[in-house]
Amino acid sequence: MTSDQEVSTSIRLEACAKTFDDGTRALEPIDLEIAGGETVVLLGPSGCGKTTTLRIIAGLEAPDPGGRVLFGSDDVTPLPIESRNVGMVFQSYALFPNMTVRENVAYGLMVRNVPKPERAVRVGEMLAMMHIEELADRRIDQLSGGQRQRVALARAIAVRPRVLLLDEPLTALDASLRERLRIEINDLLRSLGITAVYVTHDQGEAMAIGDRIVVMRKGVVAQIGSPKDIYYRPANAFVADFIGTSNRLTGHLSNGALSFQGGSIPWQRSEAAELTVMFRPQDAEIVAPTEAQIAGRIANVYFLGDRTKIILEAIGQGPIVVETTAQADFVIGSNVGLKINPDRIFEIDGET
Amino acid sequence: MKHSEYPRLILLMLPVAIVFLAFFLLPMARLILIGGSGENGFSEYLSIFHTPRHFESLVSTVLLSAAVTIAAVIISAVTGVFLERNRFPGREVLISMLTFPLAFPGVVIGFLVIMLAGRQGLANEISQALTGSRLVFAYSMAGLFTGYLYFSIPRVILTIMAAAEKLDPALEEAARSLGASRWQVIRDVILPALKPALIASGAIAFATAMGAFGTAFTLATNIDVLPMTIYTEFTLNANFATAAALSIVLGTITWLALYISRSIAGSTVAAAA
């Protein structure tokens, strides 16, 4: 199998849709190109089609007729998962409870009839790479969650898969462990240079791991882009809300200014009569009422240690969230001005 | 636990202790004694292995029960996993029909076997119509096997379905992603996961088959299974010592089977019983 020796395989989905037997449409036709060695994160709330997309790439689900899955130049659409040479990591770890750690990692090599001496060497390498050598002879039920996921990763990469597919691998872990393992997975993906598809509903995880993020919603791709693109240039209100906190202002445009309750901002970039703009909480600051074109009232203040989160009311249609590192005392009920960094205001499609 | 609680606990356990003593320990002890009360004394127990009729009966009972157990476990494993994985119209009806034999006494099951494989049975009629040869197996080992299998399957299938329901589908997917074929998935993932249920329900099937009487009584004209032998010794020959000794041996073998399977499979046997 010469294709095994490729450093990294690109993935292409062509018009892959998925309709389940009961008629529900899990995925609208999706086209997706993933370059060799790239890490792409499929991000979205539950039921958005991200897992279905991953399973179509894996070969666990067949796309509706017309859809095609390509690994490099090979059309793998008709191949079941066992013939696709993919590595898979599951949220539930899915380690074989009747085998030791070593046997788990060796399993893929065993079913491929890799000779025993070579198998032992490769398993040793994998255990060393994941820092779990001392666990080699443990049973699975003697491992912690983090150790289990390390074993699952070692098992998936031991067979040198063409692509690595990770389905919410960190969701079952507690927060601090998740953070640590996230860094480890990130380093691992970079050092292997393997093409990886990573499914998560956690935007922080997506930002940290993805070269590109595919934000999905109700079976449709909402946006594809780098983490920065997605954060600062969300394609629509859904993406803006899903990735971090965002503030939205909807108003009327006249004489080069967008007006809404509480004030206005200069706006030359559009001709529409009515439009919605957004900005992030850290891209605005609280100033004296006289120093700003927007005035509001402090509804609530949350001191978060390194920064303070302030909720303003009487601006636009809803509460406005501002985060600041300033140490000033913010008094609930006082009238203040709001100054937004003009470079960080973006027009978005206001439909959610 | 405080010492002052002991009297209260002993009081609470008293009813159970009395029932256990009166209806289990005392009769068992008496049975053991009766077994040794014949003219041979306690060597009566050993004579079972020397009396050809008794020994053959013992061997054929164990072999029959073992064969029924293996067949029931294989059939139920395949059917149980299939029923757990597939949803189709009539599935619920099929499951309740498969568990139907639980409601029948052994005599009725024997009657069913006669209607299937007796002289006027369905099997014979079909065979006569197709090949012209007679096919009667109700009164042979094959007839007993059919009847025992019929009432063993529901005991096994329910346990296996419960275990199959708990199988994590991700385990199979993980094995397949690593390149495992369908057969390798069954061997390395499904069977190990079902193993406790297979052993537990197999032990129950074995114990039930060892002690089954009604079906054997209805059918057995020329085969002696152990419960039949006990019945004959007891009622026809009034040979109480032999009957008691045979009962103890039957019980011991069955208990041993349950005990061994229990130590292999964990404590699931008791729960399944």
Side-chain angles (χ1 to χ4, degrees):
Chain A
M1 288 209 277
T2 48
S3 53
D4 276 12
Q5 309 309 319
E6 287 173 27
V7 179
S8 46
T9 308
S10 64
I11 303 172
R12 196 161 71 194
L13 297 185
E14 290 178 5
C16 284
K18 183 69 194 175
T19 312
F20 285 118
D21 291 341
D22 61 358
T24 39
R25 193 74 183 260
L27 191 64
E28 298 296 327
I30 179 176
D31 293 290
L32 186 62
E33 289 235 27
I34 300 170
E38 191 182 20
T39 301
V40 163
V41 176
L42 305 177
L43 173 69
S46 60
C48 72
K50 57 188 191 295
T51 298
T52 305
T53 309
L54 188 81
R55 291 172 70 85
I56 287 174
I57 298 172
L60 288 169
E61 305 278 0
D64 289 349
R68 296 212 306 158
V69 182
L70 293 105
F71 284 2
S73 52
D74 308 336
D75 186 346
V76 296
T77 319
L79 296 183
I81 182 167
E82 50 266 38
S83 312
R84 286 195 186 185
N85 196 15
V86 296
M88 232 180 147
V89 177
F90 298 83
Q91 181 180 339
S92 61
Y93 321 119
L95 296 173
F96 308 127
N98 48 315
M99 301 180 198
T100 63
V101 167
R102 192 194 303 280
E103 288 165 345
N104 263 279
V105 176
Y107 187 76
L109 303 170
M110 191 194 80
V111 297
R112 275 155 217 246
N113 294 318
V114 173
K116 262 194 175 164
E118 196 188 329
R119 211 193 291 171
V121 171
R122 191 101 68 88
V123 170
E125 284 171 14
M126 290 304 129
L127 296 176
M129 187 190 255
M130 297 311 298
H131 313 294
I132 47 174
E133 292 144 299
E134 70 282 4
L135 305 176
D137 298 310
R138 292 261 190 100
R139 284 171 15 163
I140 300 309
D141 58 11
Q142 297 169 318
L143 304 181
S144 71
Q147 290 170 333
R148 287 180 198 206
Q149 204 51 292
R150 284 200 184 88
V151 177
L153 277 162
R155 183 181 66 177
I157 57 180
V159 295
R160 300 204 177 119
R162 303 183 77 179
V163 300
L164 186 60
L165 308 172
L166 305 106
D167 189 3
E168 306 235 11
L170 303 180
T171 306
L173 302 173
D174 63 60
S176 65
L177 195 59
R178 204 183 303 158
E179 180 84 25
R180 219 167 59 218
L181 210 54
R182 181 171 88 188
I183 294 165
E184 267 182 52
I185 290 181
N186 206 9
D187 293 348
L188 182 73
L189 295 178
R190 308 290 144 194
S191 66
L192 291 174
I194 193 171
T195 312
V197 183
Y198 189 111
V199 163
T200 183
H201 65 272
D202 182 312
Q203 46 113 353
E205 229 170 274
M207 302 281 232
I209 279 181
D211 293 321
R212 278 191 304 154
I213 297 176
V214 178
V215 186
M216 300 183 69
R217 181 204 188 193
K218 291 182 185 162
V220 181
V221 172
Q223 189 173 4
I224 302 179
S226 70
K228 266 194 178 142
D229 281 346
I230 301 262
Y231 190 75
Y232 282 116
R233 301 225 169 249
N236 54 46
F238 167 77
V239 177
D241 287 343
F242 195 75
I243 313 285
T245 312
S246 72
N247 294 301
R248 259 176 284 158
L249 292 169
T250 303
H252 297 285
L253 197 60
S254 59
N255 303 327
L258 179 69
S259 313
F260 40 84
Q261 188 200 349
S264 65
I265 49 171
W267 195 260
Q268 252 90 44
R269 288 175 254 175
S270 172
E271 303 286 300
E274 197 177 273
L275 64 92
T276 301
V277 297
M278 65 145 284
F279 63 97
R280 296 291 180 184
Q282 66 274 29
D283 295 326
E285 54 181 327
I286 306 281
V287 293
T290 48
E291 287 175 38
Q293 286 176 296
I294 309 168
R297 191 166 53 247
I298 296 180
N300 236 324
V301 178
Y302 301 95
F303 178 64
L304 303 174
D306 55 341
R307 64 216 144 87
T308 306
K309 185 164 143 186
I310 301 146
I311 315 291
L312 298 176
E313 57 186 7
I315 301 172
Q317 284 79 17
I320 297 289
V321 181
V322 176
E323 281 186 10
T324 175
T325 51
Q327 299 295 316
D329 277 330
F330 301 101
V331 181
I332 293 175
S334 62
N335 292 315
V336 292
L338 179 71
K339 210 171 181 177
I340 309 167
N341 181 349
D343 299 334
R344 291 285 168 85
I345 307 177
F346 305 101
E347 180 179 345
I348 56 165
D349 172 7
E351 301 292 312
T352 34
Chain B
M1 200 181 339
K2 281 179 288 182
H3 278 286
S4 58
E5 286 188 8
Y6 282 137
R8 199 163 64 93
L9 283 175
I10 288 168
L11 197 69
L12 286 170
M13 278 172 65
L14 209 55
V16 176
I18 290 171
V19 169
F20 185 65
L21 194 73
F23 296 104
F24 189 80
L25 281 186
L26 288 181
M28 279 298 269
R30 185 104 182 91
L31 202 59
I32 293 170
L33 289 178
I34 293 174
S37 69
E39 49 200 60
N40 300 329
F42 279 93
S43 59
E44 185 70 43
Y45 286 100
L46 291 176
S47 80
I48 290 165
F49 299 96
H50 301 139
T51 316
R53 198 166 58 82
H54 292 166
F55 188 66
E56 276 162 26
S57 156
L58 178 66
V59 170
S60 58
T61 310
V62 170
L63 287 181
L64 173 67
S65 302
V68 165
T69 304
I70 291 166
V73 165
I74 293 173
I75 292 171
S76 305
V78 175
T79 319
V81 172
F82 175 84
L83 284 173
E84 196 46 53
R85 300 243 164 134
N86 295 280
R87 294 288 180 270
F88 50 87
R91 175 180 172 272
E92 300 305 319
V93 179
L94 185 61
I95 291 173
S96 58
M97 273 174 64
L98 280 170
T99 56
F100 208 57
L102 283 177
F104 284 150
V107 180
V108 178
I109 289 167
F111 186 47
L112 288 176
V113 173
I114 291 173
M115 288 199 293
L116 173 74
R119 287 178 195 93
Q120 264 90 49
L122 186 66
N124 193 23
E125 275 177 31
I126 291 173
S127 172
Q128 297 263 20
L130 292 181
T131 65
S133 60
R134 283 167 54 79
L135 179 64
V136 176
F137 60 86
Y139 312 104
S140 67
M141 208 57 154
L144 269 188
F145 179 83
T146 310
Y148 280 28
L149 189 61
Y150 181 67
F151 70 67
S152 293
I153 284 174
R155 287 165 221 273
V156 180
I157 211 165
L158 291 179
T159 313
I160 290 177
M161 280 181 70
E165 195 186 355
K166 291 197 205 104
L167 270 177
D168 179 2
L171 278 180
E172 283 169 57
E173 290 172 355
R176 291 179 61 198
S177 77
L178 292 165
S181 65
R182 189 153 289 233
W183 162 240
Q184 285 166 327
V185 170
I186 292 173
R187 185 195 62 190
D188 299 328
V189 178
I190 298 180
L191 281 180
L194 292 182
K195 198 173 109 190
L198 296 178
I199 293 174
S201 56
I204 297 297
F206 181 79
T208 318
M210 283 293 289
F213 177 71
T215 311
F217 187 68
T218 319
L219 292 178
T221 49
N222 50 21
I223 339 145
D224 267 343
V225 289
L226 210 46
M228 280 298 293
T229 313
I230 296 170
Y231 174 79
T232 313
E233 292 294 342
F234 183 64
T235 55
L236 301 182
N237 303 345
N239 199 344
F240 295 156
T242 311
L246 284 170
S247 303
I248 293 292
V249 169
L250 173 70
T252 308
I253 291 173
T254 311
W255 174 81
L256 216 64
L258 286 170
Y259 180 81
I260 292 170
S261 69
R262 207 173 139 140
S263 49
I264 298 173
S267 57
T268 35
V269 177

